[in-house]
Amino acid sequence: MINSSSGSGGVCRLLASLLYGLEYHMDTSEDSTFLQDMLMGNTLHLLIKVYDRLQKYRAQRPAPLLDSTQGLAQDLAEELRGVVTSPETTELLHLLSKPHVQAFLSVHDMVAQKEFDPRLPPLPPLPDNDEKEEDSIKIVCLMKNQEPLGATIKRDESTGAIVVARVLRGGAVDRSGLIREGDKLKEVNGVPVEDKNPEEIIPILAHSEGAVTFTVIPSTKEEPETIETKIFVRALFDYDPQADPAIPCKDAGLEFWRGDVLQIVSQEDDTWWQARRHGDANLRAGLIPSRQLQESIDFNLIYLVFSLPTAGLRRSFRLSRKDNTSLQIRQKMGKEHAIIHLPIYQEVLPYRRNLEEPYRLVILTGPVGVGVTELKRRLLLSDPEHFSVTVPYTTREQKKQEREGVEYHFVSKHTFEKDILNHKFLEYGEHKGNYYGTSLDSVRRVIAESKVCLLDVEPHIIAALYSSEFKPYVVFVKPPPIERLRLSRRKAKVLASQNEQTVTKIFTEEDFQDMISSAQAMENKYGHLFEKVIINDDLAMAFTELRDELTKIETETRWIPNTWAHV
Ligand SMILES: Nc1ncnc2c1ncn2[C@@H]1O[C@H](COP(=O)(O)OP(=O)(O)OP(=O)(O)O)[C@@H](O)[C@H]1O
């Protein structure tokens, strides 16, 4: 426990409040535990104590008397070995030979000799400044390690000079504060670069390590005030800068995957923004394509390649299997479009449910037969007080054992058709001359009962529920690779229709192939809406993963579209 009466008490309180403030920016409980352990750990607090003690001596400006205590210790040890041994001399010799003492003396000497700065190479001779119009030259030496320098260069089209095009936020160049956008690059490590192409210079810089010396003519333009933006977006596509022919410098690009949350730190450039991946320890920003690039056809061709086979219909009423010819499901929303224009980023903000707020709607989706119904059934059984499902509407006759509002809401054909016209249904279909449908109001009813509503729909229905009212948490249930599918579903049976009869049958090879290709098509087309993907290989494991995830979303901070913040 931290002693708040110590000198570091204020800092400890500051660290504790920092932890609280940072909570919103953490993805997982592991991140939070890691930070908690680090900020509240003993090592950091001992360091703070050491720092506090050193502060006391600061005013006295202590200076080392010697710059080689190691030499003194060696001389002393030699002299002591020559004298008559006594317990004191033996103890002193033993102490001086201890690695801790030697390390301590070595650190003392490094500080005394001021050896902690990197050894910089001698300054290169100043170039002959024939260009009378240039009034100043700057020689900058940066120590480069494995980390890229964090700047891009280009040839200025009007002057032909090689100029610094961008300085990446948080990168080595940015942290040095010595090179600015617009500076003209004359030499790198004494080698003139003015007659070289940027493509020739980039490898020189990329492969150099240690001290890199730049001779630059500083830009005369007034430096614009840098405003760090705090915009968070969820990437809706995978991006690999190494495979991008358009990026000005591949190494300056930021690789990310669909679903990653990115912090946009600069939008000054119209086509290439600067961003960091949220939760990344690396503070150096990288280039990402801007939204403007989205409008370019090439960009869509390169990155947003969607395959468009029609996704398998979900069996919300357990009726829509492919071989059921008598059923025609008519979806109210989301006709298949041949051309999709998707946003490439979705602006998001952190959200944590308040206890008095309704639970988020949980949407389960996936290809026919993947196990959505089974997972939903298990969730309901696991906690019937907490989870619930909607009651569908039907125009078919009520059976003796059925109760109104339990299995179905029984309504007349006239009422059902009126409700269709009034857009009351999320989805509806016809089977053997009767209508079946799920209404938006039935979702609202479950939520109003302070329960988690589990809804199993086809992915194109999600758009109709994608609002601040429902804040849907969309789980995509995905089949495992085909060999695992064959193995795990050996004994599984599915419902199918034959001659107007519903029968059970085992999965066929065609069912598996359909399931996999349908899953792929769904992911390609709607993957940006899926907050969680669960691979249903081992059923028990898939269920545990789903249940744990649903518990977490009730208490943890998650990223939601910023439009959901406005009611
Ligand atoms: N991981 C699994 N391992 C073995 N069998 C499974 C697994 N997941 C589901 N099943 C079985 O597969 C069959 C189909 O599952 P389920 O009815 O839940 O599919 P579904 O996705 O709801 O499809 P539909 O939309 O056709 O109802 C059921 O018999 C179910 O028990």
Coordinates of all heavy atoms in Angstrom, one line a residue, residues 411-447:
V411 N -52.7 -12.5 -34.7 CA -53.5 -11.4 -35.3 C -54.1 -11.7 -36.6 O -53.8 -12.7 -37.2 CB -52.6 -10.1 -35.5 CG1 -52.0 -9.5 -34.2 CG2 -51.4 -10.5 -36.4
S412 N -55.1 -10.9 -37.0 CA -55.8 -11.2 -38.3 C -54.9 -10.8 -39.4 O -54.0 -10.0 -39.3 CB -57.1 -10.4 -38.3 OG -56.8 -9.0 -38.5
K413 N -55.2 -11.4 -40.6 CA -54.5 -11.0 -41.8 C -54.6 -9.5 -42.1 O -53.6 -8.9 -42.5 CB -55.0 -11.8 -43.0 CG -54.1 -12.0 -44.1 CD -54.5 -13.1 -45.0 CE -53.4 -13.3 -46.0 NZ -53.6 -14.4 -46.9
H414 N -55.8 -9.0 -41.8 CA -56.0 -7.6 -42.1 C -55.1 -6.7 -41.2 O -54.4 -5.8 -41.7 CB -57.5 -7.2 -41.8 CG -57.8 -5.8 -41.9 ND1 -57.8 -5.1 -43.1 CD2 -58.0 -4.9 -40.9 CE1 -58.1 -3.8 -42.9 NE2 -58.2 -3.6 -41.5
T415 N -55.0 -7.0 -39.9 CA -54.1 -6.3 -39.0 C -52.7 -6.4 -39.4 O -51.9 -5.4 -39.5 CB -54.3 -6.8 -37.6 OG1 -55.7 -6.9 -37.3 CG2 -53.6 -6.0 -36.6
F416 N -52.3 -7.7 -39.8 CA -50.9 -7.9 -40.1 C -50.5 -7.0 -41.4 O -49.5 -6.3 -41.4 CB -50.7 -9.4 -40.4 CG -49.2 -9.8 -40.3 CD1 -48.8 -10.5 -39.2 CD2 -48.3 -9.5 -41.3 CE1 -47.5 -10.9 -39.1 CE2 -47.0 -9.8 -41.2 CZ -46.5 -10.6 -40.1
E417 N -51.4 -7.1 -42.4 CA -51.1 -6.3 -43.6 C -51.1 -4.8 -43.4 O -50.3 -4.1 -43.9 CB -52.1 -6.7 -44.7 CG -51.7 -8.0 -45.3 CD -52.7 -8.6 -46.3 OE1 -53.8 -8.1 -46.4 OE2 -52.4 -9.6 -46.9
K418 N -51.9 -4.3 -42.4 CA -51.9 -2.9 -42.1 C -50.6 -2.6 -41.4 O -50.0 -1.5 -41.7 CB -53.1 -2.6 -41.1 CG -53.5 -1.2 -41.1 CD -54.7 -1.0 -40.3 CE -54.4 -1.1 -38.8 NZ -55.3 -1.3 -37.8
D419 N -50.1 -3.5 -40.5 CA -48.8 -3.2 -39.9 C -47.7 -3.3 -40.8 O -46.7 -2.5 -40.6 CB -48.6 -4.3 -38.7 CG -49.5 -4.0 -37.5 OD1 -50.2 -2.9 -37.5 OD2 -49.7 -4.9 -36.7
I420 N -47.8 -4.1 -41.9 CA -46.7 -4.1 -42.9 C -46.7 -2.7 -43.5 O -45.6 -2.1 -43.6 CB -47.0 -5.2 -44.0 CG1 -46.9 -6.6 -43.4 CG2 -46.0 -5.0 -45.1 CD1 -47.3 -7.7 -44.4
L421 N -47.8 -2.2 -43.9 CA -47.9 -0.9 -44.5 C -47.4 0.2 -43.6 O -46.8 1.2 -44.1 CB -49.3 -0.6 -45.0 CG -49.8 -1.5 -46.1 CD1 -51.3 -1.1 -46.5 CD2 -49.0 -1.3 -47.4
N422 N -47.6 0.0 -42.3 CA -47.1 1.0 -41.4 C -45.7 0.8 -40.9 O -45.2 1.4 -39.9 CB -48.0 1.0 -40.1 CG -49.4 1.6 -40.5 OD1 -49.5 2.5 -41.3 ND2 -50.4 1.2 -39.8
H423 N -45.0 -0.1 -41.6 CA -43.6 -0.4 -41.3 C -43.3 -0.8 -39.9 O -42.3 -0.4 -39.3 CB -42.7 0.9 -41.6 CG -42.9 1.4 -43.0 ND1 -42.4 0.7 -44.1 CD2 -43.5 2.5 -43.5 CE1 -42.7 1.4 -45.2 NE2 -43.4 2.5 -44.8
K424 N -44.2 -1.6 -39.4 CA -44.1 -2.0 -38.0 C -43.1 -3.2 -37.9 O -42.6 -3.5 -36.8 CB -45.4 -2.4 -37.4 CG -46.3 -1.1 -37.1 CD -47.2 -1.4 -36.0 CE -47.9 -0.1 -35.6 NZ -49.0 -0.3 -34.7
F425 N -42.9 -3.9 -39.0 CA -42.1 -5.1 -38.9 C -40.7 -4.9 -39.3 O -40.4 -4.2 -40.3 CB -42.7 -6.2 -39.8 CG -44.0 -6.8 -39.3 CD1 -45.2 -6.5 -39.9 CD2 -44.0 -7.5 -38.1 CE1 -46.4 -6.9 -39.3 CE2 -45.2 -8.0 -37.6 CZ -46.4 -7.7 -38.2
L426 N -39.9 -5.6 -38.5 CA -38.4 -5.6 -38.8 C -38.2 -6.5 -39.9 O -37.4 -6.3 -40.8 CB -37.8 -6.1 -37.5 CG -36.4 -5.8 -37.2 CD1 -36.1 -4.3 -37.3 CD2 -36.1 -6.2 -35.7
E427 N -38.9 -7.7 -39.9 CA -38.9 -8.6 -41.0 C -40.1 -9.4 -40.9 O -40.7 -9.6 -39.8 CB -37.6 -9.5 -40.9 CG -37.4 -10.3 -39.7 CD -36.2 -11.2 -39.7 OE1 -35.5 -11.2 -40.7 OE2 -36.0 -11.9 -38.7
Y428 N -40.6 -9.9 -42.0 CA -41.8 -10.7 -42.0 C -41.7 -11.7 -43.2 O -40.9 -11.5 -44.2 CB -43.1 -9.9 -42.1 CG -43.2 -9.1 -43.4 CD1 -43.9 -9.7 -44.5 CD2 -42.7 -7.9 -43.5 CE1 -44.0 -9.0 -45.6 CE2 -42.8 -7.1 -44.7 CZ -43.5 -7.7 -45.7 OH -43.6 -7.0 -46.9
G429 N -42.5 -12.7 -43.2 CA -42.5 -13.7 -44.3 C -43.8 -14.4 -44.3 O -44.7 -14.3 -43.5
E430 N -44.0 -15.2 -45.4 CA -45.2 -16.0 -45.6 C -44.9 -17.4 -45.6 O -43.9 -17.9 -46.3 CB -45.8 -15.5 -46.9 CG -47.3 -15.3 -46.8 CD -47.8 -14.7 -48.1 OE1 -47.1 -13.9 -48.7 OE2 -48.9 -15.1 -48.6
H431 N -45.7 -18.3 -45.0 CA -45.5 -19.7 -45.0 C -46.8 -20.4 -45.0 O -47.7 -20.1 -44.1 CB -44.7 -20.1 -43.8 CG -44.4 -21.6 -43.7 ND1 -43.7 -22.3 -44.7 CD2 -44.8 -22.6 -42.8 CE1 -43.6 -23.6 -44.4 NE2 -44.3 -23.8 -43.3
K432 N -47.0 -21.2 -46.0 CA -48.3 -21.9 -46.2 C -49.5 -21.0 -46.1 O -50.5 -21.2 -45.3 CB -48.5 -23.0 -45.2 CG -47.5 -24.2 -45.4 CD -47.8 -25.3 -44.4 CE -46.7 -26.3 -44.5 NZ -46.8 -27.3 -43.4
G433 N -49.4 -19.8 -46.7 CA -50.5 -18.9 -46.7 C -50.7 -18.0 -45.4 O -51.6 -17.2 -45.3
N434 N -49.8 -18.2 -44.4 CA -49.8 -17.4 -43.2 C -48.6 -16.5 -43.1 O -47.5 -16.9 -43.5 CB -49.9 -18.3 -42.0 CG -51.2 -19.1 -41.9 OD1 -52.2 -18.6 -42.1 ND2 -51.0 -20.4 -41.8
Y435 N -48.8 -15.4 -42.5 CA -47.7 -14.4 -42.2 C -47.1 -14.7 -40.9 O -47.8 -15.1 -39.9 CB -48.3 -13.0 -42.1 CG -48.6 -12.4 -43.5 CD1 -49.9 -11.9 -43.7 CD2 -47.7 -12.2 -44.5 CE1 -50.3 -11.3 -44.9 CE2 -48.1 -11.6 -45.7 CZ -49.3 -11.1 -45.9 OH -49.7 -10.5 -47.0
Y436 N -45.8 -14.5 -40.8 CA -45.0 -14.5 -39.6 C -44.1 -13.3 -39.6 O -43.6 -12.9 -40.6 CB -44.1 -15.7 -39.5 CG -44.9 -17.0 -39.5 CD1 -45.3 -17.6 -40.6 CD2 -45.1 -17.7 -38.3 CE1 -46.0 -18.8 -40.6 CE2 -45.8 -18.9 -38.2 CZ -46.3 -19.5 -39.4 OH -47.0 -20.6 -39.4
G437 N -44.0 -12.6 -38.4 CA -43.1 -11.4 -38.4 C -42.6 -11.0 -37.1 O -43.2 -11.4 -36.0
T438 N -41.5 -10.2 -37.1 CA -41.0 -9.7 -35.8 C -41.2 -8.2 -35.9 O -40.7 -7.6 -36.8 CB -39.5 -10.0 -35.7 OG1 -39.3 -11.4 -35.8 CG2 -38.9 -9.5 -34.4
S439 N -41.8 -7.6 -34.9 CA -42.0 -6.2 -34.9 C -41.0 -5.5 -34.1 O -40.5 -6.0 -33.1 CB -43.4 -5.8 -34.4 OG -43.4 -5.9 -33.0
L440 N -40.8 -4.2 -34.5 CA -39.8 -3.4 -33.7 C -40.4 -3.2 -32.3 O -39.6 -3.2 -31.3 CB -39.7 -2.0 -34.4 CG -38.5 -1.7 -35.2 CD1 -38.7 -0.4 -35.9 CD2 -37.2 -1.8 -34.5
D441 N -41.7 -3.1 -32.2 CA -42.3 -2.9 -30.8 C -42.0 -4.0 -29.9 O -41.8 -3.9 -28.7 CB -43.8 -2.6 -30.9 CG -44.1 -1.2 -31.3 OD1 -43.1 -0.4 -31.3 OD2 -45.2 -0.9 -31.8
S442 N -41.9 -5.3 -30.5 CA -41.7 -6.4 -29.6 C -40.3 -6.4 -29.0 O -40.0 -6.8 -27.9 CB -42.0 -7.7 -30.3 OG -41.2 -7.8 -31.4
V443 N -39.3 -5.8 -29.8 CA -38.0 -5.6 -29.3 C -38.0 -4.6 -28.2 O -37.4 -4.8 -27.1 CB -37.0 -5.1 -30.4 CG1 -35.6 -4.8 -29.9 CG2 -37.0 -6.1 -31.6
R444 N -38.7 -3.5 -28.4 CA -38.8 -2.5 -27.4 C -39.5 -3.0 -26.1 O -39.0 -2.7 -25.0 CB -39.7 -1.3 -27.9 CG -39.0 -0.5 -29.0 CD -39.7 0.8 -29.3 NE -39.0 1.5 -30.3 CZ -39.4 1.6 -31.6 NH1 -40.6 1.1 -31.9 NH2 -38.7 2.2 -32.4
R445 N -40.4 -3.9 -26.2 CA -41.1 -4.4 -25.0 C -40.1 -5.2 -24.2 O -40.1 -5.1 -23.0 CB -42.3 -5.4 -25.5 CG -43.6 -4.6 -25.6 CD -44.8 -5.5 -25.6 NE -44.8 -6.4 -26.7 CZ -45.4 -6.1 -27.9 NH1 -46.0 -4.9 -28.0 NH2 -45.4 -6.9 -28.9
V446 N -39.3 -6.0 -24.8 CA -38.3 -6.8 -24.0 C -37.4 -5.9 -23.3 O -37.1 -6.0 -22.1 CB -37.5 -7.8 -24.9 CG1 -36.4 -8.5 -24.1 CG2 -38.4 -8.8 -25.6
I447 N -36.9 -4.9 -24.0 CA -35.9 -3.9 -23.4 C -36.6 -3.2 -22.2 O -35.9 -3.0 -21.2 CB -35.4 -3.0 -24.5 CG1 -34.5 -3.8 -25.5 CG2 -34.5 -1.9 -23.9 CD1 -34.0 -3.0 -26.7

